[in-house]
Amino acid sequence: MVYILLAPGFEEIEALAPADLLRRAGIDTALVSVTGEPVPGSHGITVTADITLDRVDLSQAEMIVLPGGGPGYKNLGKDPRVEQLVRKAVEKDLWVAAICAAPTLLGKWGLLKGKKAICYPGMEDQLTGALVQTAPGEIRDGKIITGRAAGNAIDFAAELIEALLDRAAADKVLESICY
């Protein structure tokens, strides 16, 4: 199971493109509301999540995904349950992925020490402990995947599929959407 965490102000494309493509690849994926109610995105798209944060079951998890979005990533970072969940996922050697501003949370929580990572341009100083990368796209280092920005959401999703299945599965999904 892949859990994509949603807090008010999340960047819609960074959550919904991965959810869509992961599901097209046959990967169980749940949108998770941190607030326990329909979650408003940063551009006025409100999403009804599949489950609430208290129903996340790490024993069934393969990956935790943190989308960015100006207020969204800050709201994720304000909830101590999110940090605790991500730390437990890392301890269990599960995949953790974050895109845009959200990788800065991984830096803040000390989870990027010595790892290559990327984030939204101009926020690199918040990737505490990371070996900051500036190339466009996604960076995978161990079980941590970071992505640059909303414009990379489809490539980010493909990277998640490749990590969980393989490149052929990712390519098949991309081909199915004429990407």
Side-chain angles (χ1 to χ4, degrees), residues 15 19 35 49-50 62-63 73 92 109 118 138 148 157 175:
T35 57
D50 301 306
E62 294 180 87
M63 179 183 284
Y73 89 96
K92 291 178 163 278
W109 299 332
I118 194 167
E138 303 68 48
R148 186 175 179 134
E175 184 178 313

Side-chain angles (χ1 to χ4, degrees), residues 85-155:
L85 177 71
V86 172
R87 287 185 178 284
K88 283 183 181 176
V90 169
E91 288 171 16
K92 291 178 163 278
D93 199 33
L94 303 176
W95 289 98
V96 172
I99 184 170
C100 195
T104 65
L105 295 175
L106 303 181
K108 176 182 172 183
W109 299 332
L111 302 174
L112 295 178
K113 290 181 182 162
K115 294 196 173 287
K116 294 177 186 175
I118 194 167
C119 67
Y120 188 79
M123 300 184 82
E124 293 87 358
D125 63 334
Q126 296 177 55
L127 294 176
T128 308
L131 304 171
V132 177
Q133 307 295 297
T134 57
E138 303 68 48
I139 303 295
R140 187 188 328 181
D141 192 335
K143 291 278 189 106
I144 303 283
I145 300 171
T146 53
R148 186 175 179 134
N152 301 98
I154 290 176
D155 292 328

Side-chain angles (χ1 to χ4, degrees), residues 3-14:
Y3 294 108
I4 300 175
L5 306 187
L6 306 179
F10 72 96
E11 178 62 52
E12 293 95 338
I13 195 170
E14 294 171 3

